[in-house]
């Protein structure tokens, strides 16, 4: 979930002044309402050392009434605490109804620090995850609102911050040997954090990843997120209490909401391209390699699932064509996904995809996928918000089951920009051989580009896992895109068959 | 969950004829309604070999419209199926909306047969459990009704049935060498089944254990359960569709419902007693032993949780007094549980118990416990049905967390019969020194004896786990009861400290 986050986001203090003031007022009001409606709230801050947890917590609580919240700084457990189940000290710190408890680090220490320091065995680690999930579920189903932030900075940024602290006499004590060690082990920690985020990103207590390079940006995003989530929760509670008037209007989105959506697409460099000569040469090499690997994975009984999503005219079809050019047709299948038919509609939305999962040794290539649930179905209202919200977890579970059964699972997002799409649409319109490829619906979808952008960003962050990663394919250059797809598949299969 | 089930229940065919006819008519009607409301239904039969799955399934489907259901007999996976994730063949068999699929054995093969036959590694087993739970949750949250039966017979009964089949030329082929082996390994299988029932008994897909010694009884219980669950589900669906009129009356319980509740209390032999001499001798021995064990567990840092529940005047106080008589008071604490105060009410219902969990090396004795949630709170309506239904899982989770942290957890149900309670109540009334022990509320609770009986039976079955077992203490004789409590604790601690 972390690799693809764009960490370059910034905001100017001056620009955000008015926005921040507005959100502060809103938060103060929401705190009072949460008290009135007796909602307990837990706000958890996790993240890299020197990512600014202290500063950002201070900023967040500024507008709040101090009688209604409390900040807990979680350090190593004391002797009393160490003699009880590790969640004990957090159970005792759960907020009463109407109160807000903010945690600077939390129970996640167990699966990060304790884990890396070797205080936790593998079995304890597995237990810890299930205990954490049930802890959060028990509280959340009982009415507690749980908001979890992960503050993300790059290795370089972290080093810069440590150096700055170390160079100042007043603050140098704050940087420990351990901090330097952590910075060296940054890559190892990425794995640990990914694992933590994957295993504990639930519908009832989802993570929000905060790009924390720029303090202004991070402050604004945190504030906006808390306001947004609290608002929704209050709305749900109010609606539940007035069950006689269902269908109350959904709360208006805050103007700031869109601005703080985590973007993974923005980071994609769409200027990447390949010359025709290089393309032809690389394509041939990779196709040959893939052919060999295909036989090998058949022999070794490895199932492979390749999922293609992307903008209309993003190049899915072309990429799939090049991918399969040199494959033995008995060993792969391309599964196109259209709107569900009546029989499919009468089943669980994952049913038709389960039906098409490949046998061991075979490749299934899905042209559009189960991700329709969190894109088109979400945006067009073909399913309820509750349904698409929980779909992230369900999809992760399905892909994990495939992984458990030995499958290689890769998901491609074929990415182009809006201008390139227009160019391709027009080209299709004017080319009689390609006209069938373009419909009125494509133009209509295009009008919802920003909505799709938000949905795709959220989808990629929530479902990019170590066992089934998303690969964003910079697709403005078709040559570049096709080679990248092939190369990714070849690399993954080589890795798997090693 | 299995040990304490009373397997002697029987019904006479003649007696049940009218009841069965009524339920048949009801089921036929409910099937049509489930179709009309587009509810997919899965009914799963698991259980011992020769427990009568085939016969009982045949009986169940008799009244149903054959166009609306299908029975699947699950055997070893075929070659095609073996090449996919183990749940694949069940995903493909999930029912469309409005249809009923009955499974003679199911995905639970994975965690029973495949496990015992060594086809599944420990890691695969752990994965299988989480995959099964998410499979059932995904379907259930999407609207599928999942009804799971476990058919339970004793080792002796199983042997008798195998022998009968084997002695008849027509049926002898049905008993395999493997069957005989299973009967020999009965005790080992009990552990495997307990594990399966514990790990997969969820609020969205709970198990119903069927006492299957007597076919008539088992048939009636299965039919009654299906009717009852389907009725409730239809009611929920109808209510959700008419959200404008909340507070619709709950469905009337079937007359047969109470009769088929699984009883663990009925199996308790309340005639057990001890003479005063033997009592005094045994008590002293055990108290001395417990004193020694107490020091040892302090040294070894083992936490101990002893939970006492039982009928009013069931002897909790007396047992606790004898338990602690010889213990160093610095090493244990008795935690009495009254109605929650305002601060406790403002938190999660488990919060106050978490607060009192013992440190490593200490004993916490709870006089009444978190089980209030599924007894008094359930019966008096202090919490919603949804809340107490999910409490079984939450309580099991809490106790598992304690177990994971190294704790010994034992739960005692102090059991007396209704006459004995009346005798003790009257004794208390007439004894000025004991009058404080009896209140009007005790008499009021007594009037709800049957309701409590149902709740306690369900509680013990759902929460008696390998890591935190229930012990039913036959309490009509106080001497016997106190010795049994002490003996149980001593044995468990010796086992743990071995």
């Amino acid at each position: 979930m972390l690799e693809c986050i764009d960490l370059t986001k910034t905001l100017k203090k001056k620009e955000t002044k008015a926005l921040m003031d507005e959100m502060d007022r809103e938060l103060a009001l929401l705190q009072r309402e949460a008290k009135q409606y007796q909602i307990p709230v837990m706000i958890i801050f996790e993240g890299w050392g020197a990512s600014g947890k202290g500063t950002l917590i201070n900023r967040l609580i500024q507008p709040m009434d101090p009688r209604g919240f409390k900040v807990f700084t979680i350090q190593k457990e004391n002797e009393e605490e160490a003699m009880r189940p590790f969640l004990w000290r957090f159970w005792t710190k759960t907020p009463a109804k109407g109160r807000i408890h903010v945690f600077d680090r939390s129970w996640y220490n167990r699966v990060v620090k304790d884990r890396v320091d070797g205080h936790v065995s593998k079995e304890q680690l597995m237990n810890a995850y299930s205990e954490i999930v049930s802890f959060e579920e028990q509280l959340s189903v009982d009415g507690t609102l749980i908001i979890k932030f992960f503050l993300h900075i790059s290795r370089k940024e972290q080093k810069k911050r440590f150096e700055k602290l170390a160079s100042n006499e007043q603050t140098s004590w704050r940087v420990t040997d351990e901090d330097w060690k952590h910075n060296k082990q940054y890559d190892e920690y990425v794995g640990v954090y990914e694992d933590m985020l994957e295993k504990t990103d639930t519908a009832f207590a989802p993570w929000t990843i905060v790009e924390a390079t720029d303090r202004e940006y991070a402050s604004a995003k945190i504030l906006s997120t808390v306001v947004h989530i609290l608002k929704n929760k209050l709305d749900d509670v109010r609606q539940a209490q007035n069950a006689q008037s269902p269908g109350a209007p959904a709360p208006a989105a805050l103007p700031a909401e869109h601005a703080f959506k985590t973007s993974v697409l923005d980071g994609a460099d769409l200027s990447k391209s390949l010359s025709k000569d290089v393309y032809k040469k690389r394509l041939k090499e990779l196709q040959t390699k893939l052919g060999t690997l295909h036989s090998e994975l058949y022999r070794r009984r490895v199932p492979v699932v390749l999922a293609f999503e992307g903008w209309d005219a993003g190049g899915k079809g072309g990429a799939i064509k090049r991918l399969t050019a040199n494959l033995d047709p008995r060993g792969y299948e391309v599964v196109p996904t259209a709107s569900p038919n009546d029989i499919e509609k009468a089943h669980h939305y994952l049913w038709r995809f389960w039906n098409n999962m490949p046998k061991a040794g075979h490749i299934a290539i899905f042209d559009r996928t189960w991700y329709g649930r969190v894109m088109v179905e979400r945006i067009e209202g073909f399913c309820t918000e509750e349904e698409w919200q929980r779909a992230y977890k369900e999809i992760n579970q399905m892909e994990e089951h495939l992984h458990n059964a030995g499958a290689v699972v890769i998901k491609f997002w074929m990415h182009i920009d809006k201008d390139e799409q227009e160019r391709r649409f027009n080209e299709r319109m004017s080319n009689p051989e390609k006209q069938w490829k373009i419909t009125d619906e494509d133009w209509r979808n295009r009008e919802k580009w920003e909505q799709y952008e938000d949905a795709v960003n959220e989808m990629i962050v929530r479902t990019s896992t170590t066992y089934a990663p998303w690969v964003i394919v910079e697709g403005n250059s078709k040559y570049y895109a096709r080679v990248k797809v092939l190369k990714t598949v070849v690399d993954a299969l080589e890795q798997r068959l090693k």
Side-chain angles (χ1 to χ4, degrees), chain A residues 201-203 348-350 354 370-371 373-374 383 386-402 462-463 467:
Chain A
D201 189 48
T202 54
H348 192 280
Y349 73 97
L350 290 175
W354 268 107
W370 43 96
Y371 285 96
R373 188 71 160 189
V374 292
C383 64
E386 199 227 323
E387 283 173 332
W388 61 257
Q389 286 280 12
R390 70 168 186 255
Y392 299 114
K393 187 82 196 169
E394 292 170 336
I395 287 172
N396 283 342
Q397 284 172 341
M398 180 178 78
E399 291 172 357
E400 196 175 0
H401 297 182
L402 295 170
R462 295 230 112 90
T463 59
Y467 47 83

Side-chain angles (χ1 to χ4, degrees), chain A residues 309-371:
Chain A
E309 289 285 355
W311 298 107
D312 288 330
K316 285 188 301 296
I320 291 171
K321 208 166 147 190
R322 271 64 181 190
L323 192 61
T324 55
N326 206 24
L327 296 184
D328 182 335
R330 290 164 303 179
Y332 77 88
E333 194 183 1
V334 176
V335 186
T337 301
S339 311
N341 62 32
D342 285 352
I343 294 168
E344 291 164 345
K345 271 188 200 147
H347 284 87
H348 192 280
Y349 73 97
L350 290 175
W351 176 78
R352 59 177 173 149
F353 301 107
W354 268 107
N355 268 293
N356 283 305
M357 285 305 163
K359 289 195 283 192
H362 291 245
I363 302 178
I365 300 170
F366 289 87
D367 183 355
R368 298 222 176 271
T369 67
W370 43 96
Y371 285 96

Side-chain angles (χ1 to χ4, degrees), chain A residues 130-231:
Chain A
S130 85
E131 292 178 27
I132 286 173
V133 169
S134 61
F135 171 63
E136 294 179 354
E137 183 170 13
Q138 289 191 9
L139 291 171
S140 143
V141 76
D142 187 52
T144 301
L145 180 63
I146 302 177
I147 305 176
K148 304 189 296 196
F149 291 109
F150 182 86
L151 308 188
H152 188 30
I153 53 175
S154 69
R155 178 182 202 155
K156 220 169 118 187
E157 177 68 21
Q158 190 187 40
K159 196 169 171 214
K160 209 175 83 188
R161 291 186 186 186
F162 283 156
E163 278 164 356
K164 195 177 161 198
L165 286 168
S167 68
N168 180 328
E169 247 178 59
Q170 306 254 305
T171 56
S172 61
W173 61 273
R174 287 177 56 191
V175 189
T176 63
D177 287 353
E178 211 181 353
D179 286 333
W180 290 113
K181 212 180 85 191
H182 285 182
N183 184 254
K184 278 215 181 87
Q185 297 174 320
Y186 186 96
D187 290 342
E188 193 184 319
Y189 268 92
V190 168
V192 171
Y193 283 135
E194 290 272 359
D195 198 39
M196 168 187 103
L197 295 168
E198 275 167 36
K199 292 216 163 64
T200 60
D201 189 48
T202 54
F204 44 86
W207 282 102
T208 298
I209 296 171
V210 178
E211 302 83 343
T213 315
D214 181 70
R215 294 263 155 101
E216 282 311 308
Y217 180 84
S219 289
K221 176 160 183 172
I222 289 167
L223 204 47
S224 145
T225 305
V226 172
V227 164
H228 175 65
I229 296 180
L230 253 175
K231 239 188 157 107

